[in-house]
Amino acid sequence: MKVQTKSKKVNKAWLNEHVNDPWVKLAQKEGYRARAAYKLREIDEALGLVKPGMVVVDLGCAPGAWSQYLRRRMARGRAATGALNGAIIGLDLLPMAPIEGVQYIQGDFREGAVLAQLEELLKGDRADLVVSDMAPNLSGVASVDSARVEELVALAIAFCQQHLKPAGSLVAKVFHGSGYNELVQLFRTNFTTVKPLKPRASRDRSSETFLVGTGLKPVDRS
């Protein structure tokens, strides 16, 4: 298949920016699989979300940078290997190379069989923290993309209603634009405290931001 010249230029420009990105270079130096690790680190440093001994679920975990950060943050001596104080469970549709101490499930958490695997790993407990870096494949059509993002965030919140402790927190990636205010309201409906954060590790031109909800509200089933 031939690639058009414009696409080649765009790909070359992106690759050049990526290779020279200071966060990419830092990730390579510190052994993270992606620059995304520093987004979670900034959020954690701002709000103090991650603590040793926690049970954490990482939704959309592949390629594993967030799970790597969680693993180091929760380990004795903040090490990439060795004893882990707590539990980390990662879920994704995509495969992920193993991370020592991280329990990984490949599949769709909306499916009963996948949820059953998760519940088995939780051993009757609930998570202290759920983090979600899930993002849809964007089409470029604002209304379609907004609906896809909202669906993923709604799924993460529904997951929390079943598997997060009442005092726990959810970190979820969202995008500014059409539907953003509705997502903030959805968080406020489900959490007592809601904070938006735009980490420095996010590219300036990116519309991504992160919503952090803490203190799960009970579901009104009336």
Side-chain angles (χ1 to χ4, degrees):
M1 178 184 288
K2 292 183 178 179
V3 179
Q4 298 203 1
T5 305
K6 184 176 180 181
S7 297
K8 285 183 177 179
K9 287 181 178 178
V10 170
N11 291 338
K12 186 175 181 180
W14 179 89
L15 183 60
N16 182 66
E17 179 187 35
H18 182 76
V19 169
N20 292 294
D21 187 307
W23 297 105
V24 171
K25 291 181 178 179
L26 187 59
Q28 292 170 343
K29 179 181 178 182
E30 296 188 343
Y32 284 114
R33 296 176 183 177
R35 67 200 299 280
Y38 300 104
K39 300 174 188 178
L40 183 57
R41 186 180 76 175
E42 286 186 64
I43 294 168
D44 180 32
E45 289 176 347
L47 300 177
L49 297 175
V50 186
K51 297 177 178 64
M54 279 185 158
V55 174
V56 184
V57 176
D58 184 0
L59 299 176
C61 58
W66 277 24
S67 285
Q68 283 181 300
Y69 172 76
L70 292 165
R71 196 258 181 272
R72 297 185 191 189
R73 183 73 176 81
M74 294 165 61
R76 294 179 176 87
R78 298 197 177 187
T81 59
L84 173 66
N85 184 5
I88 303 167
I89 304 169
L91 296 94
D92 205 303
L93 290 170
L94 300 174
M96 184 183 79
I99 298 171
E100 183 179 334
V102 176
Q103 302 173 88
Y104 171 65
I105 301 169
Q106 184 174 355
D108 188 335
F109 67 87
R110 292 171 293 184
E111 296 179 359
V114 176
L115 269 179
Q117 291 181 64
L118 171 65
E119 288 163 356
E120 184 177 350
L121 292 178
L122 287 173
K123 299 175 182 177
D125 199 1
R126 286 188 171 223
D128 298 281
L129 174 65
V130 174
V131 296
S132 172
D133 199 26
M134 293 189 297
N137 293 323
L138 299 178
S139 67
V141 180
S143 59
V144 173
D145 292 339
S146 175
R148 289 176 178 174
V149 171
E150 188 168 350
E151 179 185 13
L152 288 179
V153 174
L155 284 171
I157 290 175
F159 178 87
C160 288
Q161 287 288 357
Q162 296 296 320
H163 299 97
L164 183 68
K165 292 178 181 177
S169 297
L170 166 66
V171 179
K173 176 159 68 178
V174 299
F175 295 89
H176 273 286
S178 175
Y180 174 76
N181 290 336
E182 287 77 5
L183 289 175
V184 173
Q185 184 55 49
L186 183 61
F187 257 72
R188 288 175 176 163
T189 299
N190 286 273
F191 295 94
T192 56
T193 302
V194 178
K195 294 184 179 180
L197 290 168
K198 171 78 171 178
R200 291 179 296 112
S202 290
R203 289 191 171 97
D204 291 339
R205 70 170 184 277
S206 173
S207 64
E208 77 172 6
T209 190
F210 294 86
L211 293 177
V212 181
T214 301
L216 198 62
K217 293 181 180 179
V219 177
D220 183 0
R221 302 187 184 278
S222 60

